[in-house]
Amino acid sequence: MNSGIFSAIGMSGLDPAILFIIMLVLLIIAFVFIIIQANKLSKLQKKYDKFMRGKEAESLEDEIVGLFHDNRLIRTENEKNRKDIIEINKKLNNTFQKVGLEKYDAFNQSGGRLSFALCMLDEFDNGFLLNSVHNSDGMNYSYAKEINGGVADLELSKDEKRALEKALNSLNR
């Protein structure tokens, strides 16, 4: 079967049935793509409906504006917390952080270890050492010694030295 149109475009030997089959295959492929796109559109529509359920455009806009406002408040509060933490850390440098306690029997009596040396130091190893000596008569004597940079201003007894060492090493445990 000769066609004038086929002859005009240089395809005079082409059988129209082949052209029909090619067109049918292209139509089926196009139809499959349409079905795939319709399925994707349906899924997108379901997601949109779920997102918009119970919301109108104005209320959704208000919701987004509210979220931005909340975000701004959280950032402000976060900055305040950061400044507070810095201030707390500054104050913490001057607090007693290291403690050493040495209990001992001052006069080697069988009355127990009622005497003690208590050393309290800050971050820079400054503080005091308090020595409380208990004797057999029930009397109690207390002495305080200043500690600067981990060194006492007066000579220390062996028990006081142990209390100081415990305090100096208390954060290393």
Side-chain angles (χ1 to χ4, degrees):
M1 194 172 157
N2 274 336
S3 168
I5 296 175
F6 288 151
S7 296
I9 59 173
M11 297 172 42
S12 60
L14 184 64
D15 187 10
I18 293 175
L19 183 61
F20 178 74
I21 292 173
I22 292 173
M23 294 301 281
L24 184 61
V25 168
L26 289 175
L27 185 64
I28 291 172
I29 291 173
F31 188 68
V32 168
F33 279 128
I34 289 173
I35 291 173
I36 291 171
Q37 292 304 320
N39 190 19
K40 287 182 180 180
L41 182 62
S42 174
K43 287 180 183 178
L44 186 61
Q45 183 68 37
K46 286 178 186 177
K47 287 181 182 180
Y48 177 77
D49 289 342
K50 183 178 178 182
F51 180 71
M52 295 299 285
R53 190 173 301 135
K55 303 282 185 189
E56 294 181 11
E58 290 178 19
S59 63
L60 185 60
E61 183 179 345
D62 292 340
E63 191 75 24
I64 292 171
V65 168
L67 289 173
F68 278 116
H69 178 69
D70 291 347
N71 188 16
R72 194 172 298 124
L73 290 176
I74 290 170
R75 285 184 185 185
T76 303
E77 191 67 25
N78 188 30
E79 187 60 33
K80 181 187 174 298
N81 289 342
R82 187 174 289 128
K83 288 177 183 177
D84 289 346
I85 289 170
I86 290 169
E87 186 65 29
I88 289 170
N89 283 333
K90 285 179 184 176
K91 290 179 181 179
L92 188 62
N93 290 338
N94 298 323
T95 61
F96 294 122
Q97 302 174 21
K98 304 173 187 178
V99 178
L101 177 65
E102 181 68 26
K103 292 181 70 171
Y104 62 96
D105 188 358
F107 300 107
N108 295 324
Q109 300 167 347
S110 61
R113 299 176 357 167
L114 299 177
S115 299
F116 66 89
L118 173 67
C119 183
M120 298 182 74
L121 303 174
D122 64 9
E123 180 182 10
F124 306 106
D125 296 332
N126 299 322
F128 65 90
L129 190 141
L130 180 65
N131 190 359
S132 180
V133 180
H134 184 355
N135 66 18
S136 61
D137 296 334
M139 298 295 289
N140 197 28
Y141 300 97
S142 297
Y143 305 96
K145 297 180 181 177
E146 188 175 350
I147 308 292
N148 288 312
V151 179
D153 61 342
L154 300 172
E155 189 173 337
L156 300 178
S157 70
K158 65 178 180 162
D159 300 307
E160 292 171 332
K161 286 179 184 176
R162 282 197 294 264
L164 176 60
E165 287 301 316
K166 284 181 180 179
L168 289 171
N169 296 322
S170 66
L171 289 181
N172 296 335
R173 292 182 190 169

